[in-house]
Amino acid sequence: MVRVTDHGGGVWSIPVPIPDNPLGHTLVHLLDTDRGPVLIDTGWDDPDSYAALEAGLVEAGTSVAAVHGVLITHHHPDHHGLSARVREASGAWIAMHEADAAVVRRTRSAAPARWLTYMTAKLAAAGAPEEHLAPLRAARESGRMSTLPGLRPALPDRDIVPGELVDLAGRRLRAIWTPGHTPGHVCLFLEEGRRLFSGDHLLPGISPHIGLYEDPDDAVETDPLGDYLASLERIGRLDPDEVLPAHQYAFKDAAGRVRELLDHHEERLNGLRALITDAPRTPWQLAEVMEWNRPWEQIPFGSRNIAVSEAEAHLRRLVKAGRAEAVPGSDPVTYQAV
């Protein structure tokens, strides 16, 4: 049996498994409305995950077919993956912030080889060694990327507009734009009961990945970590009574958790700056010596790409704060403290 939690007030959480992932599952939230149940996120696109979602909805007294709408906190496949199947089974609408809807449109339209070319060039510029780049080049030649999940995510029908109430009968659910983890991440604040559906933005025991926003067509230098820190402060000022995140467990004292995360990232920025004070380093070299949840030698290939992107996001924050700079003419690019 799926371990469905009844939070009271017409709110349930359903753990939907993520295959081969240490997070274990996504907490899909079910919200009763006067027009029928609405889901906040849907979980990973996998047969076992869909079966868990189906069983959880039945345990909560409803079904996939009864779902009226789907609100997506952000476009990642462990949140948006099953949206198409839910819509096909129920006719439900799907809503998402425009910035993440743009990512979905781009993902659907871009050829896999183009993404691999972009990622290879990006990692090479960050100082990745040839032995790391070679599998990407091989995948581009073979077209193997077409088998990966999340390449045909569902197109949303509606926009989630920051600051506005979502159109839900009998509910006051307000959208709060919280970019950082993705450009269009949103939290959803249920004004009755002062509950916050926080997606991946605010988690009780871990910090979400903050890396560079991936867009082969965008020449604008974004600042995802700066976005995230500003978004955290916005949630801290809101100070909800309870937080219902998409991973781990529900918790209180959102303001206290915000302070912990702000302190964590300031400590990480200071540590990163110290690493480039004596000698310039590439983002790859920094990722190799940064503190992760396991030694660098044990981090698998795909997770190393994520780690390097996170190092780059922290470097960009240091640069924008005037605390570091790229060494002119360096190739691959190296950074030094200022």
Side-chain angles (χ1 to χ4, degrees), residues 313-338:
H314 281 73
L315 281 166
R316 191 164 290 180
R317 177 87 296 263
L318 286 173
V319 170
K320 287 187 175 290
R323 301 170 64 191
E325 64 183 5
V327 176
S330 57
D331 183 19
V333 62
T334 59
Y335 292 84
Q336 60 189 7
V338 294

Side-chain angles (χ1 to χ4, degrees), residues 112-113 116 137-148 151:
L116 284 164
R137 295 194 178 101
R140 181 183 59 198
E141 294 304 317
S142 68
R144 193 165 67 243
M145 188 179 177
S146 62
T147 66
L148 293 177
L151 293 179

Side-chain angles (χ1 to χ4, degrees), residues 247-323:
H247 302 289
Q248 299 191 300
Y249 49 86
F251 65 100
K252 298 183 185 296
D253 192 18
R257 182 59 182 147
V258 164
R259 286 192 298 272
E260 290 175 355
L261 287 166
L262 290 171
D263 290 345
H264 162 76
H265 283 287
E266 183 58 29
E267 181 180 337
R268 198 154 211 211
L269 286 166
N270 289 336
L272 197 64
R273 187 177 182 277
L275 289 171
I276 55 175
T277 296
D278 295 331
R281 298 190 196 222
T282 66
W284 184 276
Q285 290 169 333
L286 284 166
E288 287 180 311
V289 296
M290 288 171 68
E291 184 177 339
W292 305 106
N293 60 2
R294 69 191 97 172
W296 182 257
E297 295 73 23
Q298 297 176 19
I299 296 178
F301 180 90
S303 297
R304 289 189 178 192
N305 296 341
I306 294 171
V308 172
S309 183
E310 188 149 327
E312 289 183 295
H314 281 73
L315 281 166
R316 191 164 290 180
R317 177 87 296 263
L318 286 173
V319 170
K320 287 187 175 290
R323 301 170 64 191

Side-chain angles (χ1 to χ4, degrees), residues 32-46:
D32 261 350
T33 79
D34 290 348
R35 291 200 191 104
V38 168
L39 297 183
I40 298 175
D41 294 330
T42 56
W44 191 273
D45 185 7
D46 176 82

Side-chain angles (χ1 to χ4, degrees), residues 17-328:
I18 312 170
D20 303 316
N21 189 295
L23 281 173
H25 56 261
T26 301
L27 290 173
V28 172
H29 289 96
L30 170 65
L31 178 64
D32 261 350
T33 79
D34 290 348
R35 291 200 191 104
V38 168
L39 297 183
I40 298 175
D41 294 330
T42 56
W44 191 273
D45 185 7
D46 176 82
D48 290 342
S49 304
Y50 187 69
L53 178 61
E54 281 187 307
L57 288 168
V58 169
E59 190 176 333
T62 185
S63 66
V64 174
V67 172
H68 170 62
V70 175
L71 294 162
I72 299 299
T73 61
H74 61 294
H75 71 81
H76 286 164
D78 57 323
H79 296 257
H80 184 41
L82 283 171
S83 299
R85 290 198 65 178
V86 170
R87 180 167 59 190
E88 181 180 353
S90 65
W93 47 260
I94 300 171
M96 181 184 293
H97 187 283
E98 169 55 30
D100 271 20
V103 176
V104 168
R105 290 192 295 271
R106 187 170 66 242
T107 302
R108 289 173 61 93
S109 63
R114 184 159 181 257
W115 278 103
L116 284 164
T117 300
Y118 165 73
M119 288 302 299
T120 303
K122 185 172 177 293
L123 285 162
E130 180 55 36
E131 59 265 26
H132 186 85
L133 301 175
L136 289 170
R137 295 194 178 101
R140 181 183 59 198
E141 294 304 317
S142 68
R144 193 165 67 243
M145 188 179 177
S146 62
T147 66
L148 293 177
L151 293 179
R152 295 292 294 174
L155 287 168
D157 313 290
R158 302 183 181 184
D159 289 339
I160 295 177
V161 181
E164 293 190 3
L165 290 172
V166 181
D167 183 17
L168 298 181
R171 291 290 194 174
R172 291 184 61 84
L173 187 70
R174 193 170 300 278
I176 305 169
W177 185 33
T178 50
H181 184 55
T182 70
H185 190 291
V186 293
C187 293
L188 298 161
F189 183 56
L190 189 61
E191 294 184 348
E192 57 263 31
R194 294 188 54 77
R195 287 172 161 172
L196 183 77
F197 299 98
S198 65
D200 281 3
H201 182 69
L202 192 62
L203 303 170
I206 55 177
S207 175
H209 164 67
I210 308 297
L212 296 186
Y213 303 143
E214 308 293 358
D215 184 352
D217 298 321
D218 194 352
V220 176
E221 262 204 6
T222 57
D223 181 15
L225 183 55
D227 292 344
Y228 179 66
L229 298 176
S231 299
L232 276 178
E233 291 180 341
R234 192 177 308 129
I235 294 301
R237 290 191 296 271
L238 180 67
D239 196 19
D241 290 343
E242 184 178 26
V243 181
L244 300 173
H247 302 289
Q248 299 191 300
Y249 49 86
F251 65 100
K252 298 183 185 296
D253 192 18
R257 182 59 182 147
V258 164
R259 286 192 298 272
E260 290 175 355
L261 287 166
L262 290 171
D263 290 345
H264 162 76
H265 283 287
E266 183 58 29
E267 181 180 337
R268 198 154 211 211
L269 286 166
N270 289 336
L272 197 64
R273 187 177 182 277
L275 289 171
I276 55 175
T277 296
D278 295 331
R281 298 190 196 222
T282 66
W284 184 276
Q285 290 169 333
L286 284 166
E288 287 180 311
V289 296
M290 288 171 68
E291 184 177 339
W292 305 106
N293 60 2
R294 69 191 97 172
W296 182 257
E297 295 73 23
Q298 297 176 19
I299 296 178
F301 180 90
S303 297
R304 289 189 178 192
N305 296 341
I306 294 171
V308 172
S309 183
E310 188 149 327
E312 289 183 295
H314 281 73
L315 281 166
R316 191 164 290 180
R317 177 87 296 263
L318 286 173
V319 170
K320 287 187 175 290
R323 301 170 64 191
E325 64 183 5
V327 176

